[in-house]
Amino acid sequence: MTTIQIAVTFAGLVLVVGIAWFFWGPRRGGLRAATTSSGYQEAMVLVKGGYTPDLIVVQHGKPVRLNFRREETAACSEMVVFGDFGKSARLPEGETVPLEFLPEKPGEYEFTCQMGMLRGKLVVE
Amino acid sequence: MAVETSPIDAPAGSTIARLERDARLRRIELAVPGLDGRQAAEHLSEHLQAVPGVAVVNVNPTARLARVDYDPDRASVSALARAARSAGYSIGSASLDLGIQGMHCASCVSTIEHALAQTPGVLAATVNLATERAHVEYVPAFIDASALRQAITSAGYDVREGVARGETAVDQEQRDREREYRSLLTKFWFAAAISVPVIVFSYPQFFPVLREWLTMGSDARRLVWGALGVMTLPVMFWSGSQFFSGMWAGLRHRQANMNTLIAIGTSAAWLYSSVAVVAPQVFPRMELAEEFYDVAAVVIALVVLGLALEVKAKGRTSEAIKKLVGLQAKTARVLRDGRELDIAVEEVLVGDTVVVRPGEKVPVDGVLTDGSSSVDESMITGESIPVEKHAGDEVIGATINQTGSFRFEATKVGKDTALAQIIRLVQDAQGSKAPIQRVVDQVSQYFVPTVMILAVIAAVVWFDFGPQPAPVYALIVFVTTLIIACPCALGLATPTSLTVGIGKGAEQGILIRSGDALQSAQRLQTIVLDKTGTITKGNPELTDVVAETGFDEDELLAIAAAVERNSEHPLAGAIVEGARLRQLSQLEASDFEAIPGHGAKATVDGRSVLLGNTRLMADRGITLGRLQGEAQRMAEDGKTPMFMALDEVAAGIVAAADTVKDDSAEAIAALKQMGLEVVMLTGDNRRTAEAIGRMVGVDRVLAEVLPQDKAHEVQKLQLEGRKVGMVGDGINDAPALAQADVGFAIGTGTDVAIEAADVTLISGNLRAVVTAIQVSKATMRNVYENLIWAFGYNSLGIPIAMGLLYPFTGLLLSPLIAAAAMATSSISVVTNANRLRRWQPRPYGGMP
């Protein structure tokens, strides 16, 4: 093996590890939904190439209202689906669409676009 | 046009305001829904009386009506409403949103508000400058939307024509889709136009003129290449802008998607080429300084074209919803103040009397009050045969009146109508996930990063061990692997089929509530049918009249009917109705006496009549003779016989039975043909139950089941290890429906949102169960086809792109082929899902 081959191989390995860590590695942060006067735990979620925030922390037993706002035209994100709660909503561009449900059991619940390409996580404590 | 009419305080339809023109005074009747008791009535009356200009107030607490005679010059409806409100009551009112054009200043707001407030019948008006909308609260019988529009127009502004809310969403979606399609297509044509010269100059060896001019290593060649590199830039960053913005947005969330793959693939090709043009000396040998601008341009052109076609095809998957929305009537003819008014369907209120002429659409749900007709309900129930409607029958909005004229009272309007509920249920279901989707989700979560890792590994292996020129091969393999992977096909496979399948069900009058139900329905092994109302019609009918020698059948029936008219026994109605159908003369019975557990006795035409069971006859010492045998035979057929004696002599038998629906046997045969075990569940005694079971051909009969034990019986079947579907009505059978793996609720008129059910059969027809299972089978087959295709494509395409076949066959894909394959593969998935749109339920006997 030439030096350059060794270098390329090494760079490739670093890249592989880097990709795996970047996409699958541990994540920090997350937004705790604030409880509003109406008794709902509310959070605003921006839909643009992904969900911002994509980790939302709520308490169980209290109703949750997530206000989704989609600011892109790509057809992929036109629906958001909470499979575990049987809830979904169509998100017309530039409109704020509220989605309400009651998380009864603590746990981690995913929400995704209809095709499962964009993902976010709801952590119920 | 009205956008949304909604009751504010109560069913606004309860506002029955009527004007009677007096010489000077005007009379109005205001509905006060919250009124409770005499004291409250007096309290309200005092407040109304205090309004200047009010002459007489009469509040009726039972009818919850306030009748006010007032001088229109001094008092107004809004003043009365304010007075009522200050007393703590609100009068039934409606609200309406109107779009306004031509508002350019803040003062316009007060001008319009003032103009509206001055209009009699308007309670309140607020205008929002930012949204250019007016929100008007008004007393519907006093004024309608056209008068409100008139008020705005005369103030010097235009009213924007709006559309119903449900329609807006669908229309907007279609508009968005159309815009997206056009924009993608423009991007494609631009990319394609640039691709042509880029390809030509990238392969000069195929064009004699160019071959001589652009020789390897010449300055001319480098210059031309440089020009190609510049030309390719707008293709990447304009035509392919969504790939880069999508990649960026994804990376910020540490997520990767199709955009990431395309963006990295094309940029790698572009960067390599640009290094080759700008600094060829970095390559150890000259033949390594190759350019791949054509890859960047063509890949983007093809993938963008693929996206455009996909958007178009995806739009077609939700056609069923568009059809449903299109069914909504636009206008309604209602009776107000004794006049027929054509109004927008959004303005129809609960309680309005609606007039429907032949050939017209029934605008909202209601109960027929006057007239009769046959109505085509196929668009809602999927039943092609028109339904006869008489006074007291339910009519469903969006169905088409065929022969006669009739009037009906509106009972459900706006978002409460059956059609609106159907649309909402279908949309919800289309957005839900089938369980299989969760598996796919797991895969797609790891898919894109895995492809990136594979591409890196493949490139390194080719660089280290591949043939010369190794860097060129490594690059090609890297780019091809990224480009050929198609996460979209994977992601689209389930939702597109589900959308089409659930829409298809709705067209047949079958509402499948979720992807879960759809997937479970095709795996059912046992179908439990509730007898009453599902297999049978649910209301007993007269079946036999047997007369002993010397008696006349019709005479016996007429006498029996006369007796039973006084009875409250469930079978009594069947006999009375039977006599009516035979158009027998009505006799009068006197001295009626019910004998609990036995029957009844009475006197008709001076003759003493006994009507009842064997025990009654035995108690009276009446010999039944051959009638005994007849009765036995009838009971075995599932009928309930009643003996009749005239003047203490056995005269005959009248028998009634809950009759089997015409197509029950046919539907059950079809279910059995599909390989399902069919079980009948009933509270009837075993003999009757088995008789009916034999008649319709079920496999098993579970008789004498108490209503509260139905769910338990379903559970017992499940414990036998079978997937159980339960068919029943949504009320009595709710626990059993919920217990079953799939609960099918037999529809009851306009109530379609049956909570306990996974599937609602709007037609109330057993055949719909067969169709529902067929729809589910066809849809799931389509889903599996899509998944097999998507998984197969990726798991074949990616290794080939990595060059796995090269050592054996010398086969290596060009990135251009990969791009074409990738674009085709996601379109194939959507096209396959669209194939379901042509699906039709198979007639019986054609089962696979």
Side-chain angles (χ1 to χ4, degrees), chain A residues 1 5 8-9 12 21-24 26-27 48-49 51-52 73 78 81 90 92-93 95 112 114-115 119, chain B residues 172-173 177 179-180 249 251 253-256 430-431 433 441 444 446 449-450 453 456 463-464 491-492 495:
Chain A
M1 259 195 178
Q5 279 175 335
V8 165
T9 312
W21 173 82
F22 185 77
F23 291 111
W24 300 324
R27 285 157 193 246
K48 196 177 178 187
Y51 300 109
T52 314
T73 53
E78 72 187 2
V81 183
R90 206 165 279 283
E93 191 202 345
E95 256 180 58
T112 63
Q114 205 185 11
M115 287 162 45
R119 2 186 109 243
Chain B
Q172 190 187 349
E173 193 195 321
R177 220 181 271 285
R179 202 178 50 204
E180 169 98 358
L251 288 183
H253 294 94
R254 292 172 65 175
Q255 284 170 349
Q430 287 181 334
K433 281 187 176 183
D441 280 352
S444 53
Y446 295 103
T450 307
I453 289 172
V456 171
F463 189 85
D464 289 349
L492 286 168

